[in-house]
Amino acid sequence: MSLPVFRFAPSPNGPLHLGHAYSALLNHDLARQADGRFLLRIEDIDRERSRTHFERAIRGDLAWLGLDWEEPVRRQSDHFDDYRTALDRLIEAELVYPAFLSRGDVRALIAEKEARGGAWPRDPDGAPLYPTIERDLPARERRARIEAGAPFAWRLDIDAAMERVSGRLDWREDGAGPQGEAGLIVADPRIWGDFVVARKDLPTSYQLSVVVDDALQGVTHVVRGRDLFHATSGQRLLHELLGLSPPTYLHHDLILGEDGRKLSKSRGDTGLEALRMSGLTPHDIRRMVGL
Ligand code: GLU
């Protein structure tokens, strides 16, 4: 039997807060309890928002908390080739298509449909599902647009993708979902519609790189905040389409601010660095997050 593998996978686009500390500590503790491995992964595909000084600060905060992780750390921006290979498989399997619509185009199209009655479906984050009108664009037209330099993302044709799934698509949940459910959860990737597999500026997206990395790193346990519970449905589908075996999941509670709202990287009060400067110890942080 190979060892259990856990990972903490922050995006270096801001300082860590108490919620990240909880997630990192929980992953680390569970890995230790299981005699497993603990990995740190830097999710920096977003070149516009990622900063190396945030990565340094993340390492500093985690070390201060008393965590140690394996080196070298996987930094997503060093591995675009891996995501490109996975994307190419989906292109060859004709499961993705170039999507040219701008946000403005999508808004206008939806406004027009909604004016004629009926609410347009939305994803779990409240964003409207992408219209499916480009799925059957003739190959000639696609080529012409690409050659003319039109920017495009690669989106999954969710209907074609679901047809490739044989049997029930589910995952093992050791935490709890939004309705408190644990155990075997049935994935429902359709809630995301034709979701983005590769963004307009990149050969990948959050969903694709997470799935590829977890598989390449042999991650067996994904432990992360409940805000990513629904994202798991899309990830499970990608495992299936790419022939990867899924990890088990534990979606933990989010640490909320005193006002009951989700913490964000822009809120200084619960930033780890500020807490540390105020004289708190790693032990205090553990106590504050209930560990
Ligand atoms: N990088 C993601 C974030 O910082 C987490 C990805 C994951 O755990 O799957 O929200």
Side-chain angles (χ1 to χ4, degrees), residues 7-13 20 23 41-44 76 206 210 214 222-225 227-228 231 235 249 265:
R7 73 353 181 236
F8 175 59
S11 305
N13 55 19
H20 298 110
S23 211
R41 182 166 78 223
I42 299 294
E43 302 213 324
D44 64 343
Q76 289 188 324
Y206 158 66
V210 161
D214 284 338
V222 170
V223 176
R224 60 186 178 192
D227 50 342
L228 288 169
Q235 291 169 23
Y249 291 85
K265 287 181 171 157

PDB file of all heavy atoms in Angstrom, residues 7-13 20 23 41-44 76 206 210 214 222-225 227-228 231 235 249 265, ligand 1:
ATOM      1  N   ARG A   7      -2.304  17.511   0.605  1.00  0.00           N
ATOM      2  CA  ARG A   7      -1.645  18.716   0.082  1.00  0.00           C
ATOM      3  C   ARG A   7      -2.404  19.967   0.514  1.00  0.00           C
ATOM      4  O   ARG A   7      -3.629  19.960   0.697  1.00  0.00           O
ATOM      5  CB  ARG A   7      -1.460  18.649  -1.414  1.00  0.00           C
ATOM      6  CG  ARG A   7      -2.572  18.790  -2.479  1.00  0.00           C
ATOM      7  CD  ARG A   7      -3.967  18.862  -2.104  1.00  0.00           C
ATOM      8  NE  ARG A   7      -4.888  18.972  -3.223  1.00  0.00           N
ATOM      9  CZ  ARG A   7      -5.781  19.964  -3.355  1.00  0.00           C
ATOM     10  NH1 ARG A   7      -5.909  20.899  -2.452  1.00  0.00           N
ATOM     11  NH2 ARG A   7      -6.600  19.982  -4.395  1.00  0.00           N
ATOM     12  N   PHE A   8      -1.641  21.054   0.676  1.00  0.00           N
ATOM     13  CA  PHE A   8      -2.237  22.376   0.878  1.00  0.00           C
ATOM     14  C   PHE A   8      -1.840  23.169  -0.352  1.00  0.00           C
ATOM     15  O   PHE A   8      -0.658  23.188  -0.717  1.00  0.00           O
ATOM     16  CB  PHE A   8      -1.684  23.008   2.163  1.00  0.00           C
ATOM     17  CG  PHE A   8      -2.152  24.420   2.384  1.00  0.00           C
ATOM     18  CD1 PHE A   8      -3.514  24.716   2.494  1.00  0.00           C
ATOM     19  CD2 PHE A   8      -1.242  25.474   2.477  1.00  0.00           C
ATOM     20  CE1 PHE A   8      -3.951  26.026   2.691  1.00  0.00           C
ATOM     21  CE2 PHE A   8      -1.668  26.781   2.676  1.00  0.00           C
ATOM     22  CZ  PHE A   8      -3.024  27.053   2.782  1.00  0.00           C
ATOM     23  N   ALA A   9      -2.837  23.796  -1.020  1.00  0.00           N
ATOM     24  CA  ALA A   9      -2.583  24.354  -2.352  1.00  0.00           C
ATOM     25  C   ALA A   9      -3.028  25.809  -2.483  1.00  0.00           C
ATOM     26  O   ALA A   9      -3.996  26.120  -3.171  1.00  0.00           O
ATOM     27  CB  ALA A   9      -3.286  23.480  -3.400  1.00  0.00           C
ATOM     28  N   PRO A  10      -2.327  26.712  -1.812  1.00  0.00           N
ATOM     29  CA  PRO A  10      -2.752  28.113  -1.863  1.00  0.00           C
ATOM     30  C   PRO A  10      -2.394  28.809  -3.183  1.00  0.00           C
ATOM     31  O   PRO A  10      -1.478  28.375  -3.880  1.00  0.00           O
ATOM     32  CB  PRO A  10      -1.953  28.751  -0.720  1.00  0.00           C
ATOM     33  CG  PRO A  10      -0.706  27.939  -0.639  1.00  0.00           C
ATOM     34  CD  PRO A  10      -1.110  26.530  -0.994  1.00  0.00           C
ATOM     35  N   SER A  11      -3.127  29.847  -3.498  1.00  0.00           N
ATOM     36  CA  SER A  11      -2.788  30.708  -4.633  1.00  0.00           C
ATOM     37  C   SER A  11      -2.045  31.915  -4.072  1.00  0.00           C
ATOM     38  O   SER A  11      -2.551  32.563  -3.148  1.00  0.00           O
ATOM     39  CB  SER A  11      -4.062  31.175  -5.336  1.00  0.00           C
ATOM     40  OG  SER A  11      -4.840  30.058  -5.706  1.00  0.00           O
ATOM     41  N   PRO A  12      -0.852  32.220  -4.614  1.00  0.00           N
ATOM     42  CA  PRO A  12      -0.046  33.310  -4.032  1.00  0.00           C
ATOM     43  C   PRO A  12      -0.509  34.683  -4.526  1.00  0.00           C
ATOM     44  O   PRO A  12       0.254  35.422  -5.125  1.00  0.00           O
ATOM     45  CB  PRO A  12       1.364  32.980  -4.522  1.00  0.00           C
ATOM     46  CG  PRO A  12       1.144  32.283  -5.822  1.00  0.00           C
ATOM     47  CD  PRO A  12      -0.156  31.540  -5.707  1.00  0.00           C
ATOM     48  N   ASN A  13      -1.773  34.992  -4.256  1.00  0.00           N
ATOM     49  CA  ASN A  13      -2.285  36.286  -4.716  1.00  0.00           C
ATOM     50  C   ASN A  13      -2.678  37.179  -3.544  1.00  0.00           C
ATOM     51  O   ASN A  13      -3.412  38.143  -3.691  1.00  0.00           O
ATOM     52  CB  ASN A  13      -3.461  36.091  -5.686  1.00  0.00           C
ATOM     53  CG  ASN A  13      -4.565  35.245  -5.065  1.00  0.00           C
ATOM     54  OD1 ASN A  13      -4.627  35.095  -3.844  1.00  0.00           O
ATOM     55  ND2 ASN A  13      -5.415  34.677  -5.879  1.00  0.00           N
ATOM     56  N   HIS A  20      -6.898  29.907   5.949  1.00  0.00           N
ATOM     57  CA  HIS A  20      -5.834  29.125   5.313  1.00  0.00           C
ATOM     58  C   HIS A  20      -5.047  28.358   6.370  1.00  0.00           C
ATOM     59  O   HIS A  20      -4.637  27.218   6.148  1.00  0.00           O
ATOM     60  CB  HIS A  20      -4.848  30.014   4.557  1.00  0.00           C
ATOM     61  CG  HIS A  20      -5.462  30.782   3.435  1.00  0.00           C
ATOM     62  ND1 HIS A  20      -5.630  32.145   3.471  1.00  0.00           N
ATOM     63  CD2 HIS A  20      -5.950  30.381   2.246  1.00  0.00           C
ATOM     64  CE1 HIS A  20      -6.179  32.541   2.353  1.00  0.00           C
ATOM     65  NE2 HIS A  20      -6.396  31.495   1.585  1.00  0.00           N
ATOM     66  N   SER A  23      -6.847  25.249   7.235  1.00  0.00           N
ATOM     67  CA  SER A  23      -6.745  24.239   6.186  1.00  0.00           C
ATOM     68  C   SER A  23      -5.364  23.585   6.166  1.00  0.00           C
ATOM     69  O   SER A  23      -5.238  22.352   6.074  1.00  0.00           O
ATOM     70  CB  SER A  23      -7.028  24.906   4.839  1.00  0.00           C
ATOM     71  OG  SER A  23      -7.615  24.010   3.963  1.00  0.00           O
ATOM     72  N   ARG A  41       1.606  23.022  -2.512  1.00  0.00           N
ATOM     73  CA  ARG A  41       1.574  23.288  -3.961  1.00  0.00           C
ATOM     74  C   ARG A  41       1.185  24.744  -4.178  1.00  0.00           C
ATOM     75  O   ARG A  41       0.238  25.224  -3.547  1.00  0.00           O
ATOM     76  CB  ARG A  41       0.564  22.359  -4.638  1.00  0.00           C
ATOM     77  CG  ARG A  41       0.524  22.565  -6.141  1.00  0.00           C
ATOM     78  CD  ARG A  41      -0.206  21.434  -6.836  1.00  0.00           C
ATOM     79  NE  ARG A  41      -1.635  21.545  -6.741  1.00  0.00           N
ATOM     80  CZ  ARG A  41      -2.457  20.526  -6.470  1.00  0.00           C
ATOM     81  NH1 ARG A  41      -1.999  19.320  -6.239  1.00  0.00           N
ATOM     82  NH2 ARG A  41      -3.745  20.725  -6.424  1.00  0.00           N
ATOM     83  N   ILE A  42       1.924  25.422  -5.024  1.00  0.00           N
ATOM     84  CA  ILE A  42       1.650  26.832  -5.275  1.00  0.00           C
ATOM     85  C   ILE A  42       0.817  26.959  -6.553  1.00  0.00           C
ATOM     86  O   ILE A  42       1.285  26.624  -7.647  1.00  0.00           O
ATOM     87  CB  ILE A  42       2.986  27.619  -5.382  1.00  0.00           C
ATOM     88  CG1 ILE A  42       3.774  27.512  -4.065  1.00  0.00           C
ATOM     89  CG2 ILE A  42       2.735  29.069  -5.756  1.00  0.00           C
ATOM     90  CD1 ILE A  42       3.119  28.189  -2.859  1.00  0.00           C
ATOM     91  N   GLU A  43      -0.412  27.425  -6.417  1.00  0.00           N
ATOM     92  CA  GLU A  43      -1.338  27.479  -7.556  1.00  0.00           C
ATOM     93  C   GLU A  43      -1.309  28.873  -8.163  1.00  0.00           C
ATOM     94  O   GLU A  43      -2.124  29.744  -7.831  1.00  0.00           O
ATOM     95  CB  GLU A  43      -2.735  27.066  -7.097  1.00  0.00           C
ATOM     96  CG  GLU A  43      -2.717  25.661  -6.505  1.00  0.00           C
ATOM     97  CD  GLU A  43      -3.977  24.860  -6.749  1.00  0.00           C
ATOM     98  OE1 GLU A  43      -5.075  25.449  -6.740  1.00  0.00           O
ATOM     99  OE2 GLU A  43      -3.860  23.631  -6.942  1.00  0.00           O
ATOM    100  N   ASP A  44      -0.341  29.048  -9.050  1.00  0.00           N
ATOM    101  CA  ASP A  44      -0.075  30.392  -9.576  1.00  0.00           C
ATOM    102  C   ASP A  44      -0.274  30.492 -11.084  1.00  0.00           C
ATOM    103  O   ASP A  44       0.477  31.198 -11.750  1.00  0.00           O
ATOM    104  CB  ASP A  44       1.360  30.801  -9.210  1.00  0.00           C
ATOM    105  CG  ASP A  44       2.395  29.895  -9.871  1.00  0.00           C
ATOM    106  OD1 ASP A  44       2.012  28.806 -10.319  1.00  0.00           O
ATOM    107  OD2 ASP A  44       3.572  30.281  -9.940  1.00  0.00           O
ATOM    108  N   GLN A  76       2.631  25.631 -10.105  1.00  0.00           N
ATOM    109  CA  GLN A  76       1.874  25.318 -11.330  1.00  0.00           C
ATOM    110  C   GLN A  76       2.426  26.007 -12.569  1.00  0.00           C
ATOM    111  O   GLN A  76       2.405  25.445 -13.658  1.00  0.00           O
ATOM    112  CB  GLN A  76       0.396  25.659 -11.135  1.00  0.00           C
ATOM    113  CG  GLN A  76      -0.283  24.693 -10.171  1.00  0.00           C
ATOM    114  CD  GLN A  76      -1.780  24.869 -10.108  1.00  0.00           C
ATOM    115  OE1 GLN A  76      -2.284  25.987 -10.203  1.00  0.00           O
ATOM    116  NE2 GLN A  76      -2.507  23.785  -9.920  1.00  0.00           N
ATOM    117  N   TYR A 206      -8.293  26.651 -13.474  1.00  0.00           N
ATOM    118  CA  TYR A 206      -8.194  26.111 -12.110  1.00  0.00           C
ATOM    119  C   TYR A 206      -8.591  24.622 -12.117  1.00  0.00           C
ATOM    120  O   TYR A 206      -7.855  23.773 -11.596  1.00  0.00           O
ATOM    121  CB  TYR A 206      -9.087  26.913 -11.144  1.00  0.00           C
ATOM    122  CG  TYR A 206      -9.444  26.128  -9.900  1.00  0.00           C
ATOM    123  CD1 TYR A 206      -8.443  25.770  -8.989  1.00  0.00           C
ATOM    124  CD2 TYR A 206     -10.733  25.685  -9.663  1.00  0.00           C
ATOM    125  CE1 TYR A 206      -8.734  25.002  -7.873  1.00  0.00           C
ATOM    126  CE2 TYR A 206     -11.045  24.920  -8.548  1.00  0.00           C
ATOM    127  CZ  TYR A 206     -10.051  24.578  -7.660  1.00  0.00           C
ATOM    128  OH  TYR A 206     -10.335  23.807  -6.571  1.00  0.00           O
ATOM    129  N   VAL A 210      -5.853  21.542 -11.209  1.00  0.00           N
ATOM    130  CA  VAL A 210      -6.010  20.839  -9.927  1.00  0.00           C
ATOM    131  C   VAL A 210      -6.095  19.327 -10.153  1.00  0.00           C
ATOM    132  O   VAL A 210      -5.446  18.534  -9.460  1.00  0.00           O
ATOM    133  CB  VAL A 210      -7.275  21.337  -9.182  1.00  0.00           C
ATOM    134  CG1 VAL A 210      -7.711  20.359  -8.120  1.00  0.00           C
ATOM    135  CG2 VAL A 210      -7.017  22.689  -8.552  1.00  0.00           C
ATOM    136  N   ASP A 214      -3.188  16.849  -8.855  1.00  0.00           N
ATOM    137  CA  ASP A 214      -3.501  15.869  -7.810  1.00  0.00           C
ATOM    138  C   ASP A 214      -3.140  14.469  -8.301  1.00  0.00           C
ATOM    139  O   ASP A 214      -2.592  13.658  -7.550  1.00  0.00           O
ATOM    140  CB  ASP A 214      -4.986  15.952  -7.405  1.00  0.00           C
ATOM    141  CG  ASP A 214      -5.271  17.169  -6.509  1.00  0.00           C
ATOM    142  OD1 ASP A 214      -4.331  17.686  -5.881  1.00  0.00           O
ATOM    143  OD2 ASP A 214      -6.447  17.604  -6.444  1.00  0.00           O
ATOM    144  N   VAL A 222      -7.894  15.020  -0.602  1.00  0.00           N
ATOM    145  CA  VAL A 222      -8.027  16.461  -0.810  1.00  0.00           C
ATOM    146  C   VAL A 222      -8.829  17.022   0.359  1.00  0.00           C
ATOM    147  O   VAL A 222      -9.991  16.675   0.550  1.00  0.00           O
ATOM    148  CB  VAL A 222      -8.726  16.762  -2.153  1.00  0.00           C
ATOM    149  CG1 VAL A 222      -9.094  18.237  -2.256  1.00  0.00           C
ATOM    150  CG2 VAL A 222      -7.818  16.348  -3.314  1.00  0.00           C
ATOM    151  N   VAL A 223      -8.152  17.849   1.155  1.00  0.00           N
ATOM    152  CA  VAL A 223      -8.782  18.458   2.328  1.00  0.00           C
ATOM    153  C   VAL A 223      -8.784  19.956   2.101  1.00  0.00           C
ATOM    154  O   VAL A 223      -7.719  20.574   1.985  1.00  0.00           O
ATOM    155  CB  VAL A 223      -7.996  18.111   3.606  1.00  0.00           C
ATOM    156  CG1 VAL A 223      -8.577  18.819   4.822  1.00  0.00           C
ATOM    157  CG2 VAL A 223      -7.978  16.595   3.824  1.00  0.00           C
ATOM    158  N   ARG A 224      -9.959  20.546   1.958  1.00  0.00           N
ATOM    159  CA  ARG A 224     -10.033  21.973   1.609  1.00  0.00           C
ATOM    160  C   ARG A 224     -11.369  22.536   2.065  1.00  0.00           C
ATOM    161  O   ARG A 224     -12.245  21.800   2.533  1.00  0.00           O
ATOM    162  CB  ARG A 224      -9.865  22.143   0.099  1.00  0.00           C
ATOM    163  CG  ARG A 224     -10.929  21.436  -0.702  1.00  0.00           C
ATOM    164  CD  ARG A 224     -10.648  21.498  -2.193  1.00  0.00           C
ATOM    165  NE  ARG A 224     -11.662  20.762  -2.937  1.00  0.00           N
ATOM    166  CZ  ARG A 224     -11.572  20.456  -4.212  1.00  0.00           C
ATOM    167  NH1 ARG A 224     -10.511  20.823  -4.903  1.00  0.00           N
ATOM    168  NH2 ARG A 224     -12.536  19.796  -4.820  1.00  0.00           N
ATOM    169  N   GLY A 225     -11.538  23.847   1.913  1.00  0.00           N
ATOM    170  CA  GLY A 225     -12.731  24.517   2.424  1.00  0.00           C
ATOM    171  C   GLY A 225     -14.005  24.097   1.696  1.00  0.00           C
ATOM    172  O   GLY A 225     -13.980  23.670   0.545  1.00  0.00           O
ATOM    173  N   ASP A 227     -16.140  25.894   0.521  1.00  0.00           N
ATOM    174  CA  ASP A 227     -16.465  26.737  -0.640  1.00  0.00           C
ATOM    175  C   ASP A 227     -16.107  26.038  -1.952  1.00  0.00           C
ATOM    176  O   ASP A 227     -16.548  26.466  -3.019  1.00  0.00           O
ATOM    177  CB  ASP A 227     -15.777  28.112  -0.540  1.00  0.00           C
ATOM    178  CG  ASP A 227     -14.285  28.022  -0.242  1.00  0.00           C
ATOM    179  OD1 ASP A 227     -13.818  26.958   0.229  1.00  0.00           O
ATOM    180  OD2 ASP A 227     -13.580  29.013  -0.475  1.00  0.00           O
ATOM    181  N   LEU A 228     -15.308  24.960  -1.888  1.00  0.00           N
ATOM    182  CA  LEU A 228     -14.933  24.245  -3.110  1.00  0.00           C
ATOM    183  C   LEU A 228     -15.700  22.932  -3.279  1.00  0.00           C
ATOM    184  O   LEU A 228     -15.421  22.149  -4.183  1.00  0.00           O
ATOM    185  CB  LEU A 228     -13.416  24.000  -3.143  1.00  0.00           C
ATOM    186  CG  LEU A 228     -12.612  25.285  -3.397  1.00  0.00           C
ATOM    187  CD1 LEU A 228     -11.115  25.064  -3.168  1.00  0.00           C
ATOM    188  CD2 LEU A 228     -12.856  25.817  -4.805  1.00  0.00           C
ATOM    189  N   ALA A 231     -17.201  22.559  -6.702  1.00  0.00           N
ATOM    190  CA  ALA A 231     -16.173  22.444  -7.749  1.00  0.00           C
ATOM    191  C   ALA A 231     -15.802  20.979  -7.942  1.00  0.00           C
ATOM    192  O   ALA A 231     -15.384  20.559  -9.032  1.00  0.00           O
ATOM    193  CB  ALA A 231     -14.933  23.256  -7.359  1.00  0.00           C
ATOM    194  N   GLN A 235     -14.511  18.459 -11.148  1.00  0.00           N
ATOM    195  CA  GLN A 235     -13.224  17.759 -11.070  1.00  0.00           C
ATOM    196  C   GLN A 235     -13.409  16.252 -11.250  1.00  0.00           C
ATOM    197  O   GLN A 235     -12.606  15.589 -11.904  1.00  0.00           O
ATOM    198  CB  GLN A 235     -12.509  18.123  -9.762  1.00  0.00           C
ATOM    199  CG  GLN A 235     -12.063  19.592  -9.803  1.00  0.00           C
ATOM    200  CD  GLN A 235     -11.570  20.142  -8.472  1.00  0.00           C
ATOM    201  OE1 GLN A 235     -11.152  19.423  -7.597  1.00  0.00           O
ATOM    202  NE2 GLN A 235     -11.637  21.461  -8.333  1.00  0.00           N
ATOM    203  N   TYR A 249     -12.257  13.093  -0.525  1.00  0.00           N
ATOM    204  CA  TYR A 249     -12.359  14.525  -0.222  1.00  0.00           C
ATOM    205  C   TYR A 249     -12.821  14.745   1.203  1.00  0.00           C
ATOM    206  O   TYR A 249     -13.591  13.948   1.759  1.00  0.00           O
ATOM    207  CB  TYR A 249     -13.358  15.199  -1.181  1.00  0.00           C
ATOM    208  CG  TYR A 249     -12.842  15.260  -2.592  1.00  0.00           C
ATOM    209  CD1 TYR A 249     -13.002  14.176  -3.455  1.00  0.00           C
ATOM    210  CD2 TYR A 249     -12.158  16.380  -3.060  1.00  0.00           C
ATOM    211  CE1 TYR A 249     -12.496  14.208  -4.749  1.00  0.00           C
ATOM    212  CE2 TYR A 249     -11.647  16.412  -4.351  1.00  0.00           C
ATOM    213  CZ  TYR A 249     -11.822  15.334  -5.185  1.00  0.00           C
ATOM    214  OH  TYR A 249     -11.314  15.371  -6.462  1.00  0.00           O
ATOM    215  N   LYS A 265      -8.647  37.592   1.504  1.00  0.00           N
ATOM    216  CA  LYS A 265      -7.241  37.972   1.601  1.00  0.00           C
ATOM    217  C   LYS A 265      -7.080  39.473   1.791  1.00  0.00           C
ATOM    218  O   LYS A 265      -6.052  39.942   2.231  1.00  0.00           O
ATOM    219  CB  LYS A 265      -6.508  37.506   0.354  1.00  0.00           C
ATOM    220  CG  LYS A 265      -6.309  36.008   0.358  1.00  0.00           C
ATOM    221  CD  LYS A 265      -5.571  35.505  -0.832  1.00  0.00           C
ATOM    222  CE  LYS A 265      -5.226  34.026  -0.646  1.00  0.00           C
ATOM    223  NZ  LYS A 265      -5.008  33.320  -1.882  1.00  0.00           N
TER     224      LYS A 265
HETATM  225  N1  GLU B   1      -5.786  27.169  -4.951  1.00  0.00           N
HETATM  226  C1  GLU B   1      -7.127  27.069  -4.439  1.00  0.00           C
HETATM  227  C2  GLU B   1      -7.399  28.226  -3.487  1.00  0.00           C
HETATM  228  O1  GLU B   1      -6.452  28.843  -2.995  1.00  0.00           O
HETATM  229  C3  GLU B   1      -7.382  25.776  -3.698  1.00  0.00           C
HETATM  230  C4  GLU B   1      -7.404  24.620  -4.603  1.00  0.00           C
HETATM  231  C5  GLU B   1      -7.825  23.301  -3.973  1.00  0.00           C
HETATM  232  O2  GLU B   1      -7.600  23.062  -2.789  1.00  0.00           O
HETATM  233  O3  GLU B   1      -8.340  22.492  -4.717  1.00  0.00           O
HETATM  234  O4  GLU B   1      -8.551  28.513  -3.237  1.00  0.00           O
END
